[in-house]
Amino acid sequence: MEERRKIDRVGYSANGVIVICDTQEKIYVKTENISPLGMAVRMEPGAPDITGKDIIIVTETLIMYADVNRQEKQEDGSLVAGISARKFTDDVLQYLFDHIALEDDNL
């Protein structure tokens, strides 16, 4: 039987920051679209390859724990990454409470 339900992404434009869990490196991004299961973000030219990385993304109105499943260079040199949501673990939630402050004016 064919699955009839479908979750489409909708436009969601917001500034955000990606924190790579292993290194705690921060990358400033602009979201492009979102669904309950993931999102797409645009990064500046020269941003590192984060494909396969375990990340936390913080935007103006949400926080998502996720995996980066693809990253593609665009004609203008920017990079677009596809992100798949993951279930929060106790360790990740504790990290959020201990380390991430939304004091950054770039958000």
Side-chain angles (χ1 to χ4, degrees):
M1 178 179 277
E2 184 177 320
E3 176 66 51
R4 291 186 177 186
R5 292 178 297 168
K6 182 178 175 184
I7 300 175
D8 288 329
R9 292 184 179 206
V10 296
Y12 175 68
S13 180
N15 292 324
V17 62
I18 287 175
V19 177
I20 300 171
C21 293
D22 292 343
T23 64
Q24 297 184 3
E25 177 182 2
K26 293 180 183 177
I27 303 168
Y28 293 97
V29 300
K30 181 82 171 180
T31 62
E32 298 222 331
N33 58 53
I34 190 167
S35 80
L37 303 177
M39 70 173 71
V41 298
R42 185 173 297 268
M43 300 180 289
E44 294 293 322
D49 185 0
I50 58 173
T51 306
K53 299 288 184 179
D54 189 27
I55 65 163
I56 297 168
I57 182 165
V58 180
T59 71
E60 295 169 349
T61 59
L62 65 88
I63 299 172
M64 183 182 285
Y65 179 41
D67 293 311
V68 181
N69 50 14
R70 71 183 184 331
Q71 182 172 315
E72 300 169 352
K73 188 171 185 175
Q74 304 299 297
E75 289 182 16
D76 65 359
S78 65
L79 301 161
V80 173
I83 297 171
S84 296
R86 295 180 66 181
K87 183 177 178 180
F88 280 103
T89 64
D90 291 341
D91 290 341
V92 170
L93 288 172
Q94 190 62 52
Y95 174 86
L96 290 170
F97 286 113
D98 292 344
H99 294 95
I100 294 182
L102 296 179
E103 300 171 5
D104 198 322
D105 291 334
N106 291 319
L107 290 182

